[in-house]
Amino acid sequence: MADLETSYLGLSLKSPLVVSSCPLTYELDNLRRMEAAGAGAVVLYSLFEEQVELAEMGFSGYYQQHRDELPEALRHIAAMKEYNQGAGSYLAYLYQAKHAVSIPVIASLNGYYSSGWTRYARLIEAAGADALELNIYYLATKPHISGAEVEQMYVDLVREVTQSVRIPVAVKLSPYFSAMSNMARRLVGAGAHGLVLFNRFYQPDFDIVNRAVVPSLDLSASSELRIRLRWVALLAGQIDADLAITGGVHTAEDVVKSLMAGANVAMMASALIKNGIDHLAKVSADLNTWLDSYAYASAAEVRGLLSHAQIGDSAALERANYLNVLRTARGNQEA
Ligand SMILES: Cc1cc2nc3c(=O)[nH]c(=O)nc-3n(C[C@H](O)[C@H](O)[C@H](O)COP(=O)(O)O)c2cc1C
């Protein structure tokens, strides 16, 4: 059996398989099952900034009945009650989670501006979280806000949070930056110990009969892994931070690819929602079989084998290979 141990955010993990922030982490019993099925760590569902804001404003427990009195931007959170009950209960749950399992428990804060974040980051630390993942979710819809301003906002937020806690902080990013490598470096400069690539944006759909914008959250497929592999492969060795892949990890092969790109951990949400928590045990067993069959003694041995720093072939990861891909596609059509 191969040694699956890895390190992430300064924590020692028995496996690179990590449960990504999702509703499955809402039950203590599920966390125990995840540990038993081989998870190296779990990232809890997020505490949303809107809930932090409401708690700060003294709205906690009040907003369900007085939804219409809330500012427009905060009304949607009434509908989130099933998923997450509020800031106070998040902290209580985190405390219980830490006592329920012995694998690291990473808390998650989700939002885009900093008022209230540093206080909650400290409370999350006090409640026992081993690390904190910041999911910065900002859709730049205002025409007067520039890309540079958005980037600065991310950097400031990360700096404020990292300076206010001692636990390691990872930043979960979207792929939509003009200069990803530069952004990654700035976030690490602001104190991020790890980057989680990439967030999957919730994409509303259109109901063309009822003329309505409808919520839609599809589970991922393995094909979504590619953009993550490419960026982790490009960043590994270039920045002084740990890397996690989230998005499209479904099988042991996906985990091997993530490791070969240079990720410290591969996170899963959709695969577990679709196949159940025990899918972790299958992926873990398959990973062992794969490593054994190629005579790798450990997961650490494959880590970074296909990173840019190792292969030194930037064309394969960058634009130059695009032409070859197009030529191949044309060749296939002509055949
Ligand atoms: C139903 C559902 C709920 C999610 N909730 C959160 C959340 O609260 N916080 C967060 O950072 N990510 C959340 N995510 C995103 C996942 O953590 C993950 O990054 C994303 O689904 C991509 O990974 P996957 O391909 O394994 O699903 C959620 C995903 C799903 C499917």
Side-chain angles (χ1 to χ4, degrees), residues 20-21 23 46 83 110 135 172 200 217 220 246-248 268-270:
S20 207
S21 179
S46 294
Y83 186 28
N110 191 316
N135 182 345
K172 188 170 181 178
R200 267 176 98 235
L217 182 64
S220 71
T246 177
M268 281 196 272
S270 291

Side-chain angles (χ1 to χ4, degrees), residues 119-233:
R119 198 164 92 77
Y120 275 88
R122 280 198 206 107
L123 290 170
I124 279 171
E125 177 175 49
D130 293 288
L132 174 61
E133 186 177 282
L134 297 181
N135 182 345
I136 309 180
Y137 184 101
Y138 179 70
L139 200 61
T141 55
K142 306 271 188 301
H144 64 275
I145 299 182
S146 71
E149 284 172 276
V150 174
E151 290 184 0
Q152 192 58 46
M153 184 184 78
Y154 273 62
V155 171
D156 291 345
L157 196 155
V158 169
R159 185 173 296 110
E160 272 185 48
V161 172
T162 56
Q163 284 181 351
S164 61
V165 290
R166 280 185 300 269
I167 51 173
V169 175
V171 183
K172 188 170 181 178
L173 287 173
S174 91
Y176 307 122
F177 286 99
S178 303
M180 179 58 74
S181 298
N182 176 263
M183 191 61 204
R185 208 179 61 182
R186 289 179 67 197
L187 291 170
V188 175
H193 301 85
L195 300 179
V196 184
L197 309 184
F198 288 118
N199 220 345
R200 267 176 98 235
F201 273 84
Y202 143 76
Q203 317 270 13
D205 201 357
F206 280 8
D207 175 342
I208 54 177
V209 175
N210 296 306
R211 280 179 287 163
V213 180
V214 288
S216 140
L217 182 64
D218 298 326
L219 298 180
S220 71
S222 286
S223 56
E224 293 178 39
L225 192 61
R226 291 184 198 164
I227 187 173
R228 279 97 180 157
L229 293 176
R230 173 189 245 183
W231 275 109
V232 167

